[in-house]
């Protein structure tokens, strides 16, 4: 199957390609020789993590070396805790030691953690080097590698320090997904489901038709889902590069309740995907109540999430604790919590929801969860 090329064209930025295909890491080096920003780079630094590096680092390095790049690498511990200023500082020092100059480039090989951290150090070292993203998780292919958000976490919260720095190329080699765990697979599926609800009937009903094929990682369906998601994300970012025009925040659909679940249940108790899927279920019900969104949408979305293996979480916290957690989220402006709500498939809006109403909706959510738990 030939690779698919999607051009990301963002106003005031150099357009870049996202390629989605099987075995395309093999030609990464020769492809980079065609990209102006890195065509003549004397050295490329590959940053990866210690779970991905044993699987794909040699392949990436040999492709780059075949294209006669000098290549160095830094391998970081896998996991969210690597998105830290401390590790960023160590990488900056190591980059200086490796003689990385303004004409060099950074290649991020891994999931969203590597992509965000490598993007951050790449965008800040010597005031900004070209960054190539080689995403290896489904989530990173459909979401984090495209759009230029980079960052690290602080004690005070996730992604509080970062930059907007678009990559010069994204190489999504779907062969790398074969080694992904089911848990990580479903995290990617949740972001694709989110995109489909926000995007269009065409995408959403295609997802419903292909839910089994996607759960079983059937190649054609997977390539198509990634392509559709990247086209969707590229369109959103082109309309609102810095999340300041009220468009990019649609990508937070499901994340308001989702983040509260992750914080209160403890990070890792539920996967990010499960938490986001639960957040989508809650937001659709809130939309039914506030906007008159059809119960058919609520039920069809439930069907899709069930079919993708993103089952309802059997856990709850008090409405007050959930509300507090939502208010601590950096995306909350002022005193009221904002939700992305679907009016229909492909039609969404944001709404600030008052505490009283939200506590009532959370109370209903908690009761449903308690019933689920007692039947489990
Ligand atoms: P991750 O990078 O932690 O990867 C998940 C796990 O899978 C890790 O242990 C990793 O080592 C392993 N892994 C990666 N690729 C693999 C492969 N092919 N085979 C086997 N194992 C593999 O997590 P993620 O879900 O990819 O990304 C989450 C991060 O992305 C979060 O930090 C989040 O904030 C960020 N994010 C950023 C954006 C953005 O726009 N920049 C968007 C969404 C999420
Ligand atoms: N939150 C994902 C993005 O804005 O790119």
């Amino acid at each position: 199957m030939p690779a698919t090329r999607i051009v990301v064209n963002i106003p005031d930025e150099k357009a870049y390609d996202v390629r989605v295909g099987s075995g395309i890491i093999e030609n990464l080096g020769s492809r980079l020789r065609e990209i102006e920003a890195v065509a003549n780079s004397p050295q490329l630094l590959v940053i990866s993590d210690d779970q991905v590096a044993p699987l794909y680092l040699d392949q990436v390095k040999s492709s780059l070396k075949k294209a006669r790049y000098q290549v160095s690498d830094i391998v970081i511990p896998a996991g969210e805790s690597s998105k830290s200023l401390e590790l960023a500082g160590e990488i900056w020092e190591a980059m200086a030691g490796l003689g990385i100059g303004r004409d060099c480039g950074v290649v991020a090989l891994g999931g969203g953690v590597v992509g965000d951290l490598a993007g951050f150090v790449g965008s800040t070292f010597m005031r900004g080097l070209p960054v190539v993203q080689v995403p290896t998780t489904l989530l990173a292919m459909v979401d984090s590698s495209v759009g230029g958000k980079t960052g690290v976490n602080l004690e005070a919260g996730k992604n509080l320090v970062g930059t907007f720095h678009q990559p010069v190329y994204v190489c999504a080699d779907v062969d790398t997904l074969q080694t992904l765990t089911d848990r990580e697979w479903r995290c990617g599926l949740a972001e694709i489901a989110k995109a489909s609800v926000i995007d269009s009937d065409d995408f959403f009903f295609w997802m419903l038709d292909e839910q089994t094929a996607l759960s079983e990682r059937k190649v054609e369906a997977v390539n198509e889902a990634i392509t559709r998601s990247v086209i969707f994300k590229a369109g959103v970012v082109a309309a609102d590069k810095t999340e300041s025009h009220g468009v990019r925040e649609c990508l937070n659909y499901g994340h308001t309740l989702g983040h509260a679940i992750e914080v209160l249940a403890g990070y890792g108790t539920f996967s990010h995907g499960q938490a986001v899927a639960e957040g989508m279920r809650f937001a659709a019900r809130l939309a039914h109540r506030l906007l008159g969104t059809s119960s058919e949408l609520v039920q069809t979305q439930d069907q899709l999430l069930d079919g993708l293996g993103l089952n309802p979480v059997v856990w709850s916290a008090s409405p007050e604790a959930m509300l507090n957690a939502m208010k601590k989220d950096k995306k909350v402006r002022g005193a009221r919590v904002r939700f992305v709500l679907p009016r229909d498939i492909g039609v969404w809006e944001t709404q600030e929801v008052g505490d009283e109403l939200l506590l009532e909706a959370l109370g209903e959510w908690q009761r449903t969860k308690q019933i689920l738990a007692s039947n489990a």
Side-chain angles (χ1 to χ4, degrees):
M1 206 187 304
T4 307
R5 172 179 174 235
I6 302 137
V7 181
V8 183
N9 213 332
I10 300 168
D12 303 321
E13 295 283 346
K14 188 136 183 60
Y16 58 94
D17 285 0
V18 178
R19 282 194 192 247
V20 181
S22 162
I24 59 175
I25 280 181
E26 211 179 304
N27 299 323
L28 177 64
S30 53
R31 187 68 65 198
L32 295 189
R33 285 290 180 202
E34 295 165 1
I35 293 167
E36 199 187 334
V38 284
N40 299 310
S41 295
Q43 188 181 170
L44 297 177
L45 168 66
V46 185
I47 300 178
S48 191
D49 75 30
D50 59 12
Q51 282 185 30
V52 175
L55 300 169
Y56 306 110
L57 181 59
D58 282 350
Q59 222 177 314
V60 167
K61 284 175 77 173
S62 86
S63 168
L64 299 176
K65 284 178 182 167
K66 212 165 68 193
R68 295 196 302 283
Y69 283 107
Q70 186 194 328
V71 187
S72 47
D73 65 81
I74 292 176
V75 176
I76 62 167
E80 189 66 34
S81 58
S82 281
K83 268 177 60 174
S84 69
L85 271 175
E86 192 190 355
L87 194 51
E90 286 174 28
I91 298 175
W92 285 321
E93 291 291 351
M95 288 167 84
L98 287 165
I100 304 282
R102 296 217 59 184
D103 47 1
C104 297
V106 170
V107 178
L109 170 67
V113 164
V114 168
D116 280 11
L117 178 68
F120 178 64
V121 295
S123 70
T124 44
F125 190 76
M126 294 199 170
R127 300 196 174 80
L129 306 183
V131 173
V132 174
Q133 292 280 351
V134 185
T136 62
T137 62
L138 186 57
L139 180 142
M141 289 187 189
V142 301
D143 194 352
S144 58
S145 65
V146 179
K149 273 193 186 176
T150 83
V152 293
N153 304 324
L154 298 184
E155 290 284 318
K158 276 192 65 173
N159 299 321
L160 286 183
V161 174
T163 57
F164 287 103
H165 186 72
Q166 300 299 327
V168 296
Y169 179 59
V170 181
C171 170
D173 188 332
V174 293
D175 288 358
T176 61
L177 297 175
Q178 283 168 14
T179 49
L180 211 56
T181 60
D182 273 348
R183 182 182 166 103
E184 298 305 335
W185 183 256
R186 279 194 284 273
C187 284
L189 290 181
E191 300 296 347
I192 301 173
K194 170 199 82 178
S196 76
V197 174
I198 297 296
D199 185 58
S200 61
D201 274 346
D202 181 49
F203 193 173
F204 179 77
F205 289 103
W206 178 86
M207 287 290 288
L208 269 180
D209 288 345
E210 298 294 331
Q211 52 185 307
T212 310
L214 289 169
S215 285
E216 293 171 356
R217 309 191 192 195
K218 292 275 173 14
V219 179
E220 275 189 30
V222 171
N223 282 12
E224 172 90 26
I226 297 170
T227 302
R228 283 176 180 258
S229 303
V230 171
I231 292 171
F232 161 73
K233 177 131 192 207
V236 169
V237 176
D240 187 8
K241 183 174 66 171
T242 53
E243 201 166 336
S244 47
H245 302 301
V247 179
R248 192 163 178 164
E249 59 185 320
C250 72
L251 301 174
N252 295 331
Y253 179 47
H255 286 60
T256 314
L257 185 100
H259 280 152
I261 291 175
E262 286 186 284
V263 169
L264 290 179
Y267 277 104
T269 305
F270 299 104
S271 73
H272 179 65
Q274 258 184 305
V276 167
E278 185 67 29
M280 289 167 61
R281 292 176 196 265
F282 179 78
R285 285 165 173 77
L286 202 56
H288 176 61
R289 191 168 173 158
L290 295 176
L291 308 177
T293 297
S294 70
S295 40
E296 194 191 339
L297 182 149
V298 177
Q299 283 154 18
T300 324
Q301 180 184 268
D302 281 355
Q303 263 173 39
L304 174 62
L305 297 171
D306 293 345
L308 296 174
L310 294 157
N311 299 322
V313 303
V314 185
W315 171 92
S316 65
S318 74
E320 291 75 16
M322 293 294 283
L323 181 65
N324 274 338
M326 286 176 191
K327 286 194 167 178
K328 282 196 183 129
D329 194 305
K330 76 172 192 290
K331 296 213 164 76
V332 174
R333 293 187 201 153
R336 286 149 73 97
V337 182
R338 271 165 89 80
F339 281 85
V340 176
L341 299 176
R343 190 173 275 281
D344 201 346
I345 300 294
V347 185
W348 60 275
E349 59 193 73
T350 49
Q351 202 166 109
E352 289 185 353
V353 182
D355 289 1
E356 206 177 317
L357 199 146
L358 192 49
L359 284 169
E360 208 182 299
L362 286 166
E364 209 171 296
W365 172 79
Q366 188 188 28
R367 281 191 292 282
T368 318
K369 295 291 139 188
Q370 285 166 341
I371 293 168
L372 266 183
S374 66
N375 291 338

